[in-house]
């Protein structure tokens, strides 16, 4: 893609909404009309068979207005407690706005740990997949109430990028108070030039976002570029567009000024690179010749094709997959821990519930969670 794409090019879209767009801090209330217009945009994408996920900020801002807290910075525990109050209002708001279009909203609250730790990552990922299959629109925020300083995202731009890569979204939309990236800060330089298309995030692009040391604001351009790096290296395109218009997604579709960050990779390839390259296998599944041939044709690994389980691993850990002759066929993230995997070796998927007493996944390693070597 050398020209700027449009929304209809994408199948799964994460829309990130910042607090200042949703909450009128001065008046201490929600910007209802704007939210209604955004919900209409989301509904039209949804109707068009697109999967939509919302990453919504606003819990702290809403909480502080409900609690009538004084203006100015809040201490960590104060903002966490405010988030506990505001998140209820935020969830209700989204449920109503989407419900108006007969869309079922769902809420997911995550911390940094939930997306960095593989097992939790996989769990959150399959929950999102299930919700999308049910045509729900998940509304996601950081679990501000429990996130301690060390496990906080702190800003929803990076959280949205992680969510987008976790959900294998092909587009991340950052609705912002600015219509994209400029080659210098537009509020300081009237000659600042708007950048419409970023084919790749280079050092020069990073420099345009400003110096990390001088940018203390959460959600500034710096964190947006960080989000862009996360998204584009994992195969997700990103667009920064202004949220200061009604129907902001329709505006993007109509060609409103925005900055598009393109990804050179496609989602599956990147995800598989991540599986292939960045994880330490914790065990080995040895499979029969039939299963080996099926894997090479792009199929998932079913318990019936597994003849041996070695190692000590948990659900979601990376494992090596070897053929009957011991040659490595690939690696993947296993859906069962070593003990359960051992019990269902050679068994038909329909017997899993009977053997383990739980309704597990039909696949030992799903093809989306697996990379098969060149052989
Ligand atoms: N999670 C925070 C909230 O909902 C906002 C963080 C951000 O906007 O970057 O209030």
């Amino acid at each position: 893609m050398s020209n700027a794409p449009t929304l209809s090019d994408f199948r799964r879209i994460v829309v990130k909404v910042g607090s200042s767009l949703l909450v009128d801090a001065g008046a201490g209330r929600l910007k209802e009309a704007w939210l209604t217009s955004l919900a209409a945009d989301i509904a039209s994408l949804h109707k068009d068979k697109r999967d939509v996920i919302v990453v919504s900020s606003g819990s702290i801002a809403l909480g502080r207005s409900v609690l009538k807290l004084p203006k100015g910075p809040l201490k960590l525990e104060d903002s966490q407690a405010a988030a506990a109050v505001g998140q209820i209002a935020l969830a209700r708001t989204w449920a109503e706005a989407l419900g108006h279009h007969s869309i079922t909203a769902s809420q997911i609250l995550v911390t940094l740990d939930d997306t960095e730790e593989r097992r939790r990552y996989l769990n959150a990922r399959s929950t999102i997949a299930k919700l999308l299959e049910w045509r729900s629109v998940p509304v996601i925020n950081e679990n501000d109430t429990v996130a301690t300083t060390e496990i906080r995202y702190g800003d929803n731009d990076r959280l949205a990028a992680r969510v987008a890569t976790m959900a294998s979204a092909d587009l991340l939309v950052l609705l912002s108070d600015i219509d994209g990236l400029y080659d210098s800060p537009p509020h300081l330089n009237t000659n600042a030039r708007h950048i419409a298309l970023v084919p790749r995030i280079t050092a020069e692009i990073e420099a345009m976002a400003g110096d990390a040391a001088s940018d203390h604001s959460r959600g500034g351009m710096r964190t947006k570029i960080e989000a862009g790096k996360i998204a584009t290296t994992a195969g997700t395109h990103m667009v920064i567009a202004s949220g200061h218009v009604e129907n902001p997604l329709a505006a993007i579709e109509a060609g409103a000024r925005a900055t598009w960050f393109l990804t050179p990779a496609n989602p599956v390839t990147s995800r598989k690179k991540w599986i292939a390259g960045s994880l330490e296998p914790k065990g080995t599944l040895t499979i029969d010749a039939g299963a080996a041939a099926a894997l090479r044709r792009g199929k998932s690994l079913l318990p019936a094709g597994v003849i041996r389980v070695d190692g000590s691993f948990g659900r979601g850990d990376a494992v090596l997959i070897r053929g009957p002759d011991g040659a490595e066929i690939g690696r993947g993230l296993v859906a069962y821990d070593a003990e359960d995997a051992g019990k269902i070796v050679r068994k038909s998927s329909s017997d899993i519930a009977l053997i383990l007493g739980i309704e597990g996944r039909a696949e030992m390693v799903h093809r989306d969670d697996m990379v098969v070597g060149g052989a």
Side-chain angles (χ1 to χ4, degrees):
M1 249 179 280
S2 56
N3 292 320
T6 60
L7 289 190
S8 48
D9 294 333
F10 302 98
R11 159 192 68 83
R12 182 167 291 178
I13 301 171
V14 174
V15 181
K16 185 261 172 178
V17 183
S19 302
S20 64
L21 296 175
L22 263 181
V23 185
D24 181 336
R29 60 166 182 267
L30 263 171
K31 296 185 181 167
E32 304 252 3
W34 183 79
L35 178 64
T36 304
S37 80
L38 174 60
D41 285 358
I42 291 173
S44 104
L45 288 170
H46 186 265
K47 195 157 161 254
D48 213 16
K49 306 222 167 15
R50 301 303 197 266
D51 294 335
V52 186
I53 297 168
V54 174
V55 173
S56 178
S57 308
S59 67
I60 298 171
L62 272 178
R64 70 187 295 161
S65 79
V66 172
L67 293 161
K68 301 195 170 42
L69 299 180
K71 294 207 165 30
L74 293 177
K75 290 206 292 276
L76 181 63
E77 65 263 32
D78 293 343
S79 55
Q80 291 187 306
V85 172
Q87 185 61 37
I88 293 184
L90 189 61
R92 189 184 54 226
T93 300
W94 276 108
E96 282 171 6
L98 295 170
H100 187 68
H101 297 275
S102 308
I103 295 172
T104 306
S106 42
Q107 172 179 267
I108 303 181
L109 299 178
V110 291
T111 62
L112 184 64
D113 264 8
D114 296 324
T115 53
E116 294 301 288
E117 210 251 313
R118 288 194 300 279
R119 228 162 309 162
R120 295 204 219 169
Y121 172 97
L122 278 185
N123 230 344
R125 200 169 72 96
S126 51
T127 303
I128 292 173
K130 183 52 80 179
L131 289 166
L132 294 174
E133 186 189 316
W134 287 343
R135 301 302 290 145
S136 172
V137 169
V139 178
I140 302 179
N141 195 2
E142 181 160 18
N143 196 348
D144 290 308
T145 310
V146 299
T148 56
T149 320
E150 310 79 63
I151 61 156
R152 275 176 74 81
Y153 271 101
D155 68 83
N156 277 10
D157 293 322
R158 291 178 313 150
L159 170 66
R162 278 284 195 231
V163 165
T165 62
M166 177 159 75
S168 303
D170 41 11
L171 179 65
L172 167 62
V173 181
L174 296 184
L175 292 179
S176 163
D177 51 11
I178 185 165
D179 57 4
L181 177 68
Y182 287 77
D183 63 356
S184 59
H187 58 284
L188 300 177
N189 178 1
T190 46
N191 293 324
R193 195 170 56 89
H194 179 265
I195 314 282
L197 193 67
V198 177
R200 174 173 298 276
I201 299 175
T202 57
E204 194 195 351
I205 294 291
E206 286 193 60
M208 290 177 192
D211 182 4
S214 67
D215 184 5
H216 295 297
S217 71
R218 283 193 318 189
M221 194 48 72
R222 183 84 206 170
T223 67
K224 291 184 172 42
I225 299 297
E226 284 300 319
K229 282 200 273 183
I230 295 169
T232 57
T233 40
T236 303
H237 298 283
M238 183 175 96
V239 59
I240 301 176
S242 171
H244 282 314
V245 289
E246 296 216 338
N247 299 102
L249 301 179
I252 297 173
E253 190 65 354
R257 185 137 97 156
T259 302
W260 288 85
F261 296 79
L262 304 187
T263 174
N266 80 50
V268 174
T269 314
S270 287
R271 183 175 154 61
K272 294 199 170 187
K273 273 192 207 132
W274 173 69
I275 292 170
S278 61
L279 309 174
E280 287 270 295
K282 295 261 170 43
T284 303
L285 304 177
T286 304
I287 66 176
D288 64 22
L295 259 48
R296 294 205 167 99
R297 289 197 310 273
K299 302 281 188 212
S300 294
L301 176 60
L302 302 177
V306 180
I307 48 185
R308 226 180 101 166
V309 173
D310 296 288
S312 128
F313 50 84
R315 186 157 82 91
D317 280 343
V319 291
L320 282 177
I321 302 168
R322 295 190 188 279
D325 57 355
E328 181 177 333
I329 292 178
R331 46 184 77 191
L333 306 181
V334 64
Y336 291 92
D337 65 25
E339 197 187 333
D340 284 352
K343 289 183 191 154
I344 56 175
V345 153
R346 284 241 154 273
K347 301 286 193 251
S348 145
S349 298
S350 55
D351 292 339
I352 293 175
L354 205 65
I355 299 167
L356 300 182
I358 49 150
E359 193 70 56
R361 309 259 159 81
E363 305 85 14
M364 183 85 89
V365 181
H366 192 278
R367 61 196 166 102
D368 290 349
D369 297 332
M370 174 167 39
V371 56
V372 175

